[in-house]
């Protein structure tokens, strides 16, 4: 099952792309809520390159790695990747009247309900949009 989330980001596409693919920016926005944060991020932005983000609860109670391999890299419009668990993700950056629609489509995992996954990924994407608009 595929899940899609979207956010309209009021910034130039080059800024949106940079904030999505720069480790320092990823660490600033990559969390679904204020009680989580990203403590490390790496990006090898090329086809065959790897990416990784370490997400942890701020109270230290839990954490996980979000990692994978880029399959397609088409700056500044498209990223396609396979996550470490084999699920696929497609991120599109679609310019629209001075803004960019960021659309993420990903394979759902089978441990959590689809609605919970959609809400979590949407919350992260909304934080991304707020971050980009704050630096643009």
């Amino acid at each position: 099952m595929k899940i899609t989330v979207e956010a309209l980001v009021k910034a130039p596409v080059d800024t949106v792309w940079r904030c999505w693919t720069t480790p320092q920016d990823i660490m600033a926005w990559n969390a679904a809520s204020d009680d989580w944060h990203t403590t490390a991020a790496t990006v090898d932005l090329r086809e065959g390159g790897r990416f990784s983000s370490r997400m942890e609860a701020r109270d230290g109670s839990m954490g996980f790695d979000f990692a994978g391999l880029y399959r397609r890299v088409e700056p500044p419009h498209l990223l396609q990747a396979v996550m470490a668990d084999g699920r696929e993700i497609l991120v599109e950056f679609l310019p629209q009247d001075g803004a960019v629609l960021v659309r993420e489509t990903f394979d759902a995992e089978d441990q959590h309900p689809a609605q919970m996954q959609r809400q979590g990924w949407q919350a992260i994407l909304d934080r991304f949009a707020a971050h980009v608009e704050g630096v643009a």
Side-chain angles (χ1 to χ4, degrees), residues 10 18 36 43 60 67-68 76 98 115 117 119 123 125:
K10 296 174 187 141
R18 178 184 51 79
W36 281 81
V43 176
Q115 184 61 18
Q117 293 176 65
Q119 288 172 339
L125 190 54

Side-chain angles (χ1 to χ4, degrees), residues 20-32:
W20 191 271
T21 59
T22 302
Q24 295 80 4
D25 285 295
I26 294 167
M27 290 172 56
W29 60 260
N30 191 31

Side-chain angles (χ1 to χ4, degrees), residues 47-91:
E47 292 179 11
R50 297 194 175 276
F51 63 90
S52 171
S53 297
R54 176 70 186 168
M55 299 175 80
E56 296 183 0
R58 288 191 185 272
D59 67 5
S61 62
M62 64 180 69
F64 64 93
D65 294 313
F66 178 80
L69 180 77
Y70 292 114
R71 288 196 168 154
R72 283 174 61 197
V73 177
E74 298 177 12
H77 299 290
L78 183 135
L79 287 171
Q80 184 177 23
V82 61
M83 294 178 259
D85 63 7
R87 294 180 299 134
E88 295 189 2
I89 179 170
L90 176 68
V91 186

